[in-house]
Amino acid sequence: MSTNVNTTLAVGAAVIAAGTTAYALSSRSRPFYTANEIGQPVDNLSAKSGTDRKYSTPANHEFDFVIVGGGTAAMVLANRLTERSDVNVLVIEAGKTSKGVPASRIPGAFFQLQRTERDWSYWTTPQKGCHNRELAWTRTKILGGCSSGNAMMFNLGAPQDYDEWARLQKGAEGSEGWAYKGFKKYLQRFETFVPHPDVPCPTEERGKAGPIGYFGFFTDLGRAFIPTCEAIGIPHVPDINTSK
């Protein structure tokens, strides 16, 4: 595929391996609701002949941005870029779409993606604190990345982690924007959070009008686990995805 590119955003990729699929996005592709359904495939780069190609794009087609790697963050970036009506984005992803893959949408079935062609099948390095074992480290090889195979659970991370990112930049321009105080508005922007009625929690730090909506979930095991932790002195935190 021959494509004119005005601006390129390449993340960790010098060469595009065979088997990669390219997805074209523009304002005409909106609205975006799920990361693994964004865009349309424009070319099968692994095809060896014209008869093998399922999709095609004009040789002179121009893209304003090329994003290499179609993981979760890439899909958010593509979403934001194409909020402008005059922007076309090309996303190049090694994995395939999750359409027709039920395990990418059923939380209890996410393990069916592990150690398959839809998993990068990484392993951790041996670590002393883990008895020098190597452990499987799943990274989903699907458009949308690990948002397509993470059991629909997430943790935004401790505020101290964001503050450390800012400190590591040692006063560089824009570094304070990585601190939790400055970054929090972006976390709120992406979500619409609805707490579980049985687990009341403050919502002033949570997003209320973002594109990703989800509900608090409380299992019977959780109903027993939380008071058990409190009984042995572990304080109860109603919501771990806040500054508290």
Side-chain angles (χ1 to χ4, degrees):
M1 178 182 66
S2 174
T3 303
N4 296 326
V5 178
N6 297 333
T7 306
T8 301
L9 299 180
V11 182
V15 180
I16 302 171
T20 300
T21 302
Y23 295 82
L25 300 89
S26 71
S27 60
R28 295 182 294 278
S29 302
R30 297 182 63 83
F32 299 118
Y33 293 114
T34 56
N36 51 21
E37 288 187 347
I38 296 178
Q40 297 295 326
V42 296
D43 201 357
N44 181 355
L45 299 183
S46 63
K48 296 181 179 180
S49 68
T51 57
D52 293 330
R53 294 179 183 274
K54 185 177 181 180
Y55 304 96
S56 63
T57 187
N60 61 349
H61 195 104
E62 292 189 2
F63 296 95
D64 302 290
F65 297 91
V66 174
I67 302 176
V68 180
T72 306
M75 296 296 94
V76 173
L77 178 59
N79 185 357
R80 295 303 185 199
L81 288 171
T82 53
E83 287 180 351
R84 285 183 46 173
S85 60
D86 60 337
V87 168
N88 288 315
V89 176
L90 182 72
V91 176
I92 300 175
E93 163 60 29
K96 299 179 180 179
T97 176
S98 67
K99 290 182 178 180
V101 185
S104 70
R105 298 173 178 271
I106 303 173
F110 73 96
F111 66 91
Q112 295 180 11
L113 301 174
Q114 298 176 0
R115 327 319 292 171
T116 71
E117 64 176 354
R118 298 183 175 93
D119 183 4
W120 284 101
S121 301
Y122 293 140
W123 291 83
T124 62
T125 57
Q127 300 173 62
K128 181 179 179 181
C130 198
H131 301 290
N132 291 316
R133 292 180 298 164
E134 295 181 1
L135 303 178
W137 192 259
T138 294
R139 300 283 91 184
T140 309
K141 190 179 179 181
I142 292 179
L143 185 66
C146 290
S147 65
S148 297
N150 67 351
M152 295 181 68
M153 297 184 291
F154 82 102
N155 186 339
L156 294 179
Q160 295 87 342
D161 291 341
Y162 297 87
D163 295 341
E164 184 177 3
W165 291 345
R167 287 195 300 272
L168 289 172
Q169 296 179 63
K170 299 180 180 179
E173 183 179 356
S175 60
E176 284 306 308
W178 289 98
Y180 185 78
K181 183 178 179 180
F183 204 82
K184 181 171 63 174
K185 62 184 178 182
Y186 298 106
L187 300 177
Q188 293 174 331
R189 184 178 176 183
F190 91 90
E191 69 172 1
T192 296
F193 174 67
V194 180
H196 194 285
D198 294 346
V199 190
C201 61
T203 59
E204 61 269 14
E205 292 191 34
R206 303 303 299 270
K208 300 176 177 62
I212 307 300
Y214 56 91
F215 298 84
F217 183 63
F218 202 42
T219 66
D220 290 338
L221 179 61
R223 298 177 195 279
F225 181 75
I226 291 177
T228 300
C229 291
E230 291 183 280
I232 61 174
I234 300 175
H236 178 210
V237 179
D239 185 357
I240 60 173
N241 289 315
T242 69
S243 62
K244 304 178 179 60

